[in-house]
């Protein structure tokens, strides 16, 4: 009898371990706001997305900037992607920076894309001159904008934050429908995915510079700055430990930053799958897109493939379009969780120049991760400039096709350098990200009732009121489950409209005019206690 009981316990233990591993994965998907259902979104759609992830073991698990999306693809799609990756590898070779710079017998097809290390060997004079030149250009641009005082840090927490046992959560929810399990705010940072979209515009000064260069006829420097801007959007993904809040259907976010010369607006336009549309206007340019992801699970990692195209249009009619590269989150079950961005980004222009950037796929023993390398080519296909750098550090460029000797790149010029996160930020946010949820004096009275800054669970988390934040998050997630019915009943976004049946969402206009007159009568009270007004 004892032997039988012992064998039964062994069988049960094996089943529990298999189930536990699967539950861990489901929790990770839930933490990342991924749902296993078909998206039905066409590849030609526009998109703005940001990926975030970090480690479970250190403090918190960050799911990444992920929305509900499909989790499977056909074997033909996978095979096609693998063939594309092989062909991309043939175009670009990567080597350790120091070996490339100091090994005279080393031959390679292109310069290594590590500007951070390369800059150490360019001489202090060149580095100082580059930074001075960039600062001077930025000061000239900023001098035309009013200066707004914004906060430098998040509020001090009211309560002491308590840790969360993942294993305890798994034990308490085994056998339950995990789509209805509300994860605690412990896994969140105090901004929404709508606000996270705006983080792509942190270095919008690169687009201001691109506009100015184009105005004086320097089309090459314009496309180089556009390329640097496309890379800079990934910088904030490094070291972020928490995931943003998933917006409610119809939730919006506005960002009026006169000190940067930009106005940004975003809205959650779809819930199944989640779609976020955005529109931004700057000095001489417009930028728009909408977001969706396709995912693949490979056992110990999740691959996130962005869907759609970003569009940047200058006032003189020049247009650039590109798509985001793949992000892979590794070591989901065991080991330290980390992410890397990889793949090829094609920045296509409608005039003289286009650009191709290759994000190097990171290996386990990689001494030089996060590399980006690419080139600019003209309409004839001739390579006229080379770009190289790291997506979390900086980007440089040099004239030529990148096939010359290492010494030919000693005069490479700095295009962009990342602003490091503030050391005292609990969520490893940059000084820019810290301002996103701020309610400046007089702002709350001007906002619609759908703005992310008014979301109660997010506000309580920012203030360090964790018990209130968890209670509000549970209430709002229960309310959010009615979103599918709302869409089925013909719900439409307030500020965006889809072009065609499967086209991208485009901003219709009217938001800033409604804001000026305070006319929010067509905006639902989505954070309120009742639901009748939203149906």
């Amino acid at each position: 009898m004892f032997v039988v009981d012992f064998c039964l316990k062994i069988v049960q233990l094996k089943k529990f371990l298999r189930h536990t591993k699967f539950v861990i994965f489901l929790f990770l998907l839930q933490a990342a706001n991924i749902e296993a259902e078909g998206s039905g979104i066409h590849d030609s759609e526009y998109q703005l997305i940001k990926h975030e992830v970090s480690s479970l073991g250190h403090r918190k698990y960050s799911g990444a900037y992920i929305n509900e999306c499909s989790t499977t693809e056909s074997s033909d799609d996978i095979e096609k992607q693998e063939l594309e990756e092989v062909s991309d590898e043939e175009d670009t070779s990567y080597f350790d920076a120091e070996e490339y710079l100091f090994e005279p017998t080393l031959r390679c097809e292109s310069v290594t894309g590590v500007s951070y290390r390369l800059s150490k060997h360019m001489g202090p004079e060149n580095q100082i001159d580059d930074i001075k030149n960039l600062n001077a250009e930025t000061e000239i641009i900023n001098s035309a904008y009013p200066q707004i005082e914004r906060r430098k840090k998040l509020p001090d927490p009211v309560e002491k934050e308590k840790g969360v046992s993942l294993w305890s959560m798994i034990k308490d929810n085994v056998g339950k429908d995990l789509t209805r399990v509300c994860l605690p705010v412990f896994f969140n940072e105090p901004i929404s995915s709508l606000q996270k979209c705006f983080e792509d515009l942190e270095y919008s000064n690169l687009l201001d510079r691109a506009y100015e260069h184009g105005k004086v006829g320097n089309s090459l420097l314009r496309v180089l700055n556009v390329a640097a801007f496309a890379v800079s959007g990934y910088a904030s993904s490094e070291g972020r430990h928490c995931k943003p809040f998933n917006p409610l259907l119809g939730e919006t976010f506005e960002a009026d930053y006169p000190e940067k010369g930009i106005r940004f607006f975003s809205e959650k336009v779809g819930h199944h799958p989640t779609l976020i549309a955005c529109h931004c206007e700057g000095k001489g340019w417009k930028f728009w897109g909408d977001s969706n992801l396709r995912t693949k699970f490979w056992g110990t990692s999740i691959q996130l493939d962005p869907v759609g195209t970003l569009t940047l249009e200058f006032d003189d009619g020049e247009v650039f379009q590109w798509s985001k590269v793949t992000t892979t989150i590794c070591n989901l079950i065991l080991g330290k969780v980390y992410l890397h961005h990889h793949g090829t980004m094609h920045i296509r222009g409608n005039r003289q120049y286009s650009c191709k950037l290759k994000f190097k796929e990171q290996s386990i023993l990689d001494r030089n991760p996060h590399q980006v390398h690419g080139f600019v080519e003209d309409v004839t296909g001739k390579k006229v400039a080379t770009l190289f750098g790291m997506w979390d550090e900086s980007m440089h460029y040099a004239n030529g096709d990148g096939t010359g000797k290492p010494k030919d790149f000693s005069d490479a010029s700095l295009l962009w350098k990342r602003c490091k996160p503030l050391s005292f930020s609990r969520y490893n946010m940059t000084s820019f990200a810290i301002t996103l949820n701020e309610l400046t004096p007089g702002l709350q009275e001007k906002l619609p009732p759908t703005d992310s800054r008014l979301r109660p669970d997010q506000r309580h988390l920012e203030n360090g009121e964790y018990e209130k934040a968890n209670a509000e998050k549970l209430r709002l997630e229960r309310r959010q489950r009615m979103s599918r019915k709302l869409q089925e009943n013909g719900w439409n976004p307030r500020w965006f409209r889809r072009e065609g049946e499967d086209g991208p969402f485009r901003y219709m206009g009217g938001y800033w005019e409604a804001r000026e007159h305070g006319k929010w009568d067509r905006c639902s009270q989505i954070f309120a206690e009742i639901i009748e007004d939203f149906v």
Side-chain angles (χ1 to χ4, degrees):
M1 186 67 178
F2 173 78
V3 175
V4 173
D5 287 343
F6 180 76
C7 292
L8 287 174
K9 289 184 182 296
I10 291 295
V11 172
Q12 291 172 354
L13 178 60
K14 287 183 178 180
K15 289 182 178 179
F16 173 78
L17 290 175
R18 288 198 300 269
H19 180 67
T20 298
K21 187 172 182 179
F22 181 65
V23 169
I24 293 174
F25 166 61
L26 289 182
F27 260 92
L28 294 172
L29 293 186
Q30 172 72 358
N33 290 323
I34 298 177
E35 291 187 6
E37 57 178 271
S39 66
I41 304 301
H42 193 271
D43 286 342
S44 64
E45 292 185 353
Y46 295 90
Q47 117 165 12
L48 178 62
I49 230 163
K50 176 69 68 192
H51 309 297
E52 311 294 337
V53 70
S54 186
S55 170
L56 253 176
H58 177 60
R59 180 178 176 271
K60 301 183 179 182
Y61 170 74
S62 167
Y65 173 37
I66 309 171
N67 301 308
E68 288 93 342
C69 48
S70 63
T71 57
T72 59
E73 285 195 9
S74 68
S75 58
D76 292 338
D77 292 335
I78 296 173
E79 184 177 352
K80 180 180 178 181
Q81 179 177 334
E82 290 174 349
L83 290 173
E84 290 174 351
E85 290 176 353
V86 170
S87 63
D88 286 338
E89 288 294 341
E90 294 174 354
D91 293 338
T92 306
S93 299
Y94 292 90
F95 303 90
D96 181 81
E98 295 186 5
E99 288 180 0
Y100 182 88
L101 290 167
F102 296 111
E103 178 57 56
T105 61
L106 179 63
R107 296 181 180 180
C108 61
E109 297 176 1
S110 58
V111 66
T112 196
V114 190
S115 63
Y116 176 68
R117 298 189 188 342
L118 175 62
S119 62
K120 296 191 299 183
H121 307 290
M122 289 165 55
E125 298 83 2
N126 286 355
Q127 295 181 53
I128 293 172
D129 288 344
D130 278 343
I131 295 174
K132 283 183 177 180
N133 290 337
L134 285 183
N135 290 340
E137 289 184 27
T138 302
E139 287 177 5
I140 292 173
I141 293 172
N142 290 344
S143 63
Y145 302 140
Q147 296 305 304
I148 306 296
E149 186 67 25
R150 300 191 185 272
R151 66 184 182 184
K152 301 296 189 295
K153 66 184 187 71
L154 296 176
D156 294 327
V158 174
E159 304 170 9
K160 183 177 180 181
E161 190 171 20
K162 298 178 181 179
V164 173
S165 170
L166 183 61
W167 290 108
S168 176
M169 291 175 58
I170 294 172
K171 180 186 68 174
D172 295 339
N173 291 283
V174 168
K176 295 182 180 180
D177 180 2
L178 291 179
T179 63
R180 296 185 177 274
V181 174
C182 179
L183 291 177
V185 295
F186 181 83
F187 296 100
N188 291 95
E189 59 183 359
I191 60 174
S192 74
S193 295
L194 295 167
Q195 294 164 310
K196 181 71 76 174
C197 285
F198 186 48
E199 281 201 71
D200 266 11
L201 278 298
E202 179 173 0
Y203 300 98
S204 62
N205 62 300
L206 291 167
L207 300 184
D208 294 337
R209 282 163 40 191
Y211 171 68
E212 296 296 335
H213 287 308
K215 269 204 327 184
V216 298
N218 196 332
S219 299
L220 179 57
L221 273 178
R222 170 175 280 190
V223 68
L224 287 168
N225 277 276
V226 170
F229 170 78
V231 174
S232 71
Y234 293 95
S236 63
S237 65
E238 179 66 16
R240 294 286 278 273
H241 299 295
C242 307
K243 64 180 286 292
F245 282 85
N246 187 28
L248 276 64
L249 186 64
E251 187 173 332
T252 63
F253 172 70
E254 70 160 62
D256 187 6
Y257 276 56
E259 70 272 30
K260 295 172 73 69
I262 58 177
R263 290 199 308 186
F264 172 92
F265 179 73
S266 58
E267 179 182 11
K268 182 172 180 179
V269 296
H271 183 61
H272 289 284
T274 289
L275 281 173
I276 295 174
C278 73
H279 180 88
C280 185
E281 297 179 1
K283 182 182 178 181
W285 53 267
K286 295 179 182 178
F287 177 76
W288 67 85
D290 63 34
S291 68
N292 185 35
L293 283 176
R294 291 198 179 112
T295 67
K296 303 173 189 172
F297 178 57
W298 299 107
T300 60
S301 65
I302 296 179
Q303 180 176 313
L304 312 172
D305 295 312
V307 177
T309 305
L310 299 175
T311 300
L312 171 67
E313 181 179 3
F314 291 98
D315 284 357
D316 58 13
E318 188 165 16
V319 177
F320 293 95
Q321 293 184 316
W322 66 93
S323 298
K324 291 275 190 173
V325 297
T326 297
T327 295
T328 298
I329 307 170
C330 303
N331 293 342
L332 290 177
I333 306 301
L334 296 174
K336 183 178 179 180
V337 178
Y338 69 95
L339 73 81
H340 59 102
H341 309 294
H342 56 94
T344 302
M345 176 185 290
H346 297 272
I347 304 175
R348 297 178 173 88
N350 66 341
R351 291 187 179 173
Q352 186 176 1
Y353 295 113
S354 295
C355 179
K356 180 179 178 181
L357 295 172
K358 181 64 183 290
F359 288 65
K360 180 186 178 184
E361 187 166 2
Q362 183 176 338
S363 61
I364 297 177
L365 302 177
D366 200 337
R367 296 177 298 175
N368 230 352
H370 305 171
Q371 293 185 47
V372 182
H373 173 267
F375 54 83
V376 174
E377 61 182 10
D378 60 21
V379 291
T380 66
K382 179 183 177 182
K383 297 178 182 179
V384 296
T386 302
L387 298 99
F388 42 95
M390 299 170 69
W391 53 258
D392 64 334
E393 289 288 348
S394 59
M395 288 296 293
H396 288 74
Y397 81 93
N399 293 324
D401 59 5
T403 58
K405 296 180 179 179
K407 65 181 181 180
D408 296 334
F409 297 94
S410 60
D411 60 346
S413 300
L414 180 67
L415 280 170
W416 160 76
K417 190 170 181 62
R418 178 194 180 193
C419 296
K420 292 292 186 179
L422 301 175
S423 58
F424 53 79
S425 171
R426 288 181 285 149
Y427 302 97
N428 206 30
M429 291 179 169
T430 64
S431 57
F432 178 69
I434 284 174
T435 68
L436 299 183
N437 204 48
E438 180 183 11
L439 282 169
T440 53
L443 177 60
Q444 185 167 349
E445 293 75 18
K446 300 177 181 179
L447 295 174
T450 55
D451 195 272
S452 293
R453 296 178 182 89
L454 306 180
R455 180 167 173 159
D457 52 352
Q458 187 171 299
R459 182 61 57 186
H460 286 314
L461 176 60
E462 179 180 281
N463 293 333
E465 300 170 309
Y466 305 112
E467 294 298 327
K468 291 181 179 179
N470 280 315
E472 285 294 330
K473 187 171 185 286
L474 177 61
R475 178 181 69 83
L476 292 175
E477 287 194 3
R478 285 173 177 168
R479 178 172 184 162
Q480 176 78 326
R481 294 188 188 110
M482 299 187 67
S483 297
R484 183 193 293 271
K485 294 182 180 179
L486 292 173
Q487 282 189 272
E488 292 174 351
N489 292 335
W491 180 91
N492 289 311
R494 174 65 180 85
W495 307 105
F496 291 83
R497 285 290 180 270
R498 187 188 288 275
E499 293 184 339
E501 186 176 349
D502 295 319
F505 282 89
R506 293 294 302 272
Y507 175 58
M508 299 185 303
Y511 175 83
W512 299 104
E513 292 77 9
R515 183 186 191 271
E516 184 178 354
H517 296 96
K519 292 184 177 181
W520 304 121
D521 50 292
R522 293 181 57 192
C523 294
S524 302
Q525 300 287 338
I526 61 174
F527 305 129
E529 292 288 343
I530 56 176
I531 195 69
E532 284 80 5
D533 63 303
F534 194 49
V535 176

